[in-house]
Amino acid sequence: MAVKIFLNEDELPRQWYNIAADMPNPMQPPLHPGTGQPLGPDDLAPVFPMNLIEQEVSQERWIDIPEPVLDKLLIWRPSPLYRAVKLEQHLKCPVKIYYKNEGVSPAGSHKPNTAIPQVYYNKVFGIKRIATETGAGQWGSALSFACSQFGLEAKVYMVRISYEQKPYRRLMMNTWGATCVPSPSTETEAGRKMLAIDPNSPGSLGIAISEAVEDAVTSEAHGRPLTRYSLGSVLNHVLLHQTIIGLEAEKQLAKTGDYPDIVIGCAGGGSNFAGCAFPFVRDKIAGKQVQIIAVEPTSCPTMTRGPFTYDFGDTVQMTPLLPMHTLGHGFVPAPIHAGGLRYHGMAPLVSQLVMDGLIEPRAVAQLETFAAGVTWARTEGFISAPETNHALAAVIQEAKKAKEEGKEKVILVNWSGHGLVDLAAYDAYFQGKLADHELPQEDIDQALKALEGFPKPKM
Ligand SMILES: *Cc1c(COP(=O)(O)O)cnc(C)c1O
């Protein structure tokens, strides 16, 4: 029995899969925040290059991956598919568990799968510099790596509290040649405003997004090289780029003769989950029996407790209104260690498919996720990112369920990244300092009040 299923380099998928072509109900359009009218491509042009905007709205089922992108992806792709035999033996449940190892990329997560094409499309559009934000640093480091590959400048606004408490990903960014500043910074109007209110502001993802977008749209006026903004999750083109995960997994599973009964991924903005799952959602739309589970934290239960409605993508209300599951743009989740899952919204494509009953959302509590991560490390060996541990907790739940039901099942899970830069979180867990965060309904209701009077998606 093979424990690792590899693809040769010439088996790397050469097209991305665009689920927009197959959805039973199309995604509702993003709306202009001022006019409430559907957004046109030109509205986004100051922020993103037009070639990525075209992908954002494309209805083509298959989109060719450009040769220079394939060339860079080959640094770590195709990624191995593993059979989690040691975990299976430990669990003693009637399941085969396969996992796609996205921790093998240079930045240690799935995020370079979209950072590489995004930087490439910016480069061919004549952009010289990219501005972005990062929380714990996963996206900032992936983008810095990609910019170094294509010779673009990278400017990363990193939430100040993480900048100070988590130096390692900042140092990865510096090693790849990027400039990383703590946000709020003195370099933008938005940052200076925040610092005037609170010189010791710990920062937030919302503020950092404002700074990065402002940096991009004002770069020419300030005499900086031509700059655009880049986002690491949520948007359609990001999910599109990530489908290389599921397309590879399909080919690898075909070599084993197995087809998954259950596909599982953790979901913050939805990109790694969608990347692994969408090719299987396609099969499900075509009539195949497959259960598809997106796992989120109970402390930030966007899909399981948030309504499907129009909301801003960011805290400071600069982005278009997106049709999605949301807890409200002002929702501040508890400071759990899975920083990548602390987002108030969910990708519109994933949200629509949840509404259509094709994706099943599930929330798991923090302590259960770390217990699953430790079990994983002591069986499979790899130490997972705290985000990834959410998916692993659901794998263990499903394995136990299969045993109760007396059914044999094949499970595919996306192992979104390693946790070697997140060991302080494991330390806190071992010392008993972590807690599960109950989220009272009043808190959700309160945050959702901000959406009163917002347009509603058509059903
Ligand atoms: C960023 C991140 C996530 C969450 O982002 P998605 O867009 O939902 O995939 C999950 N796992 C890891 C390892 C991450 O770095």
Side-chain angles (χ1 to χ4, degrees):
M1 176 176 49
V3 171
K4 295 190 290 301
I5 301 106
F6 288 109
L7 295 177
N8 294 325
E9 292 191 356
D10 61 10
E11 292 173 289
L12 184 71
R14 305 187 82 78
Q15 294 178 313
W16 291 298
Y17 169 57
N18 181 11
I19 200 159
D22 290 318
M23 287 167 69
N25 295 301
M27 184 191 130
Q28 314 249 340
L31 303 180
H32 190 285
T35 64
Q37 292 303 304
L39 210 67
D42 290 341
D43 294 319
L44 293 171
V47 183
F48 298 109
M50 196 49 84
N51 46 14
L52 280 175
I53 297 171
E54 280 162 12
Q55 281 190 350
E56 186 64 19
V57 300
S58 171
Q59 297 290 318
E60 293 291 320
R61 180 171 291 114
W62 298 102
I63 295 181
D64 288 342
I65 308 178
E67 282 298 328
V69 171
L70 290 168
D71 173 61
K72 304 294 187 190
L73 293 178
L74 282 172
I75 295 173
W76 73 98
R77 305 207 74 85
S79 73
L81 180 78
Y82 281 74
R83 172 98 183 259
V85 181
K86 315 283 184 300
L87 178 67
E88 290 172 15
Q89 286 163 353
H90 169 80
L91 293 174
K92 299 188 183 68
C93 296
V95 288
K96 291 184 188 174
I97 300 167
Y98 291 95
Y99 66 100
K100 192 71 172 139
N101 188 338
E102 292 298 308
V104 296
S105 78
S109 76
H110 64 285
K111 289 192 172 77
N113 294 334
T114 184
I116 286 286
Q118 286 197 44
V119 173
Y120 166 78
Y121 285 111
N122 272 280
K123 183 179 171 133
V124 298
F125 198 70
I127 307 302
K128 307 290 183 209
R129 181 175 170 276
I130 297 186
T132 197
E133 77 288 336
T134 197
Q138 283 114 325
W139 172 242
S141 55
L143 189 84
S144 301
F145 155 66
C147 281
S148 79
Q149 285 294 315
F150 287 109
L152 270 70
E153 275 181 49
K155 176 71 176 267
V156 182
Y157 293 86
M158 183 169 186
V159 176
R160 179 181 297 271
I161 180 124
S162 303
Y163 183 93
E164 285 165 1
Q165 290 179 353
K166 301 179 179 175
Y168 294 111
R169 287 207 180 84
R170 163 164 61 85
L171 292 167
M172 289 165 71
M173 296 180 225
N174 293 151
T175 305
W176 280 310
T179 308
C180 176
V181 293
S183 165
S185 76
T186 53
E187 299 184 28
T188 65
E189 199 61 42
R192 287 189 292 271
K193 247 188 220 162
M194 289 308 302
L195 289 173
I197 298 167
D198 177 6
N200 298 316
S201 165
S204 72
L205 216 44
I207 299 168
I209 294 177
S210 316
E211 288 206 88
V213 173
E214 181 187 326
D215 178 314
V217 301
T218 62
S219 59
E220 280 177 282
H222 284 100
R224 290 191 291 261
L226 191 58
T227 305
R228 287 292 180 269
Y229 169 71
S230 171
L231 193 65
S233 187
V234 179
L235 298 179
N236 303 347
H237 67 271
V238 180
L239 276 52
L240 174 81
H241 300 154
Q242 293 293 355
T243 59
I244 195 158
I245 303 172
L247 294 169
E248 284 181 6
E250 254 182 351
K251 289 189 179 189
Q252 287 161 313
L253 281 171
K255 294 188 184 208
T256 69
D258 283 324
Y259 185 88
D261 296 291
I262 309 174
V263 180
I264 297 176
C266 65
S271 74
N272 89 84
F273 161 76
C276 182
F278 278 4
F280 298 95
V281 177
R282 176 175 187 234
D283 292 349
K284 185 165 179 160
I285 293 168
K288 199 120 183 154
Q289 284 285 338
V290 46
Q291 193 184 355
I292 298 182
I293 306 176
V295 190
E296 63 185 11
T298 48
S299 55
C300 191
T302 312
M303 294 174 288
T304 49
R305 293 175 72 187
F308 177 65
T309 188
Y310 275 107
D311 192 9
F312 289 104
D314 64 331
T315 322
V316 289
Q317 315 188 7
M318 286 183 36
T319 70
L321 291 169
L322 300 172
M324 60 182 178
H325 283 90
T326 178
L327 295 164
H329 53 269
F331 180 78
V332 182
I336 57 164
H337 279 274
L341 306 185
R342 294 178 70 238
Y343 180 61
H344 69 271
M346 182 52 58
L349 288 174
V350 172
S351 296
Q352 179 67 52
L353 293 164
V354 168
M355 292 306 292
D356 293 338
L358 290 160
I359 292 171
E360 179 183 323
R362 179 175 302 178
V364 290
Q366 177 160 256
L367 291 175
E368 183 181 350
T369 68
F370 275 94
V374 170
T375 300
W376 185 272
R378 292 178 188 178
T379 53
E380 289 304 305
F382 292 107
I383 297 175
S384 330
E387 291 85 358
T388 311
N389 286 340
H390 287 69
L392 303 182
V395 168
I396 294 174
Q397 289 178 356
E398 286 304 313
K400 290 182 175 160
K401 198 162 133 204
K403 189 173 186 175
E404 281 162 22
E405 293 173 352
K407 283 189 194 149
E408 287 183 13
K409 288 188 187 170
V410 176
I411 300 174
L412 168 66
V413 60
N414 192 42
W415 199 76
S416 57
H418 71 65
L420 298 179
V421 191
D422 306 289
L423 290 172
Y426 282 83
D427 187 34
Y429 174 67
F430 293 134
Q431 293 191 36
K433 288 183 185 162
L434 294 192
D436 288 337
H437 300 271
E438 288 300 322
L439 178 59
Q441 188 58 36
E442 302 92 79
D443 291 10
I444 298 180
D445 294 344
Q446 188 62 33
L448 288 172
K449 274 196 189 142
L451 303 186
E452 268 165 27
F454 277 39
K456 296 276 172 284
K458 291 189 209 76
M459 291 295 168

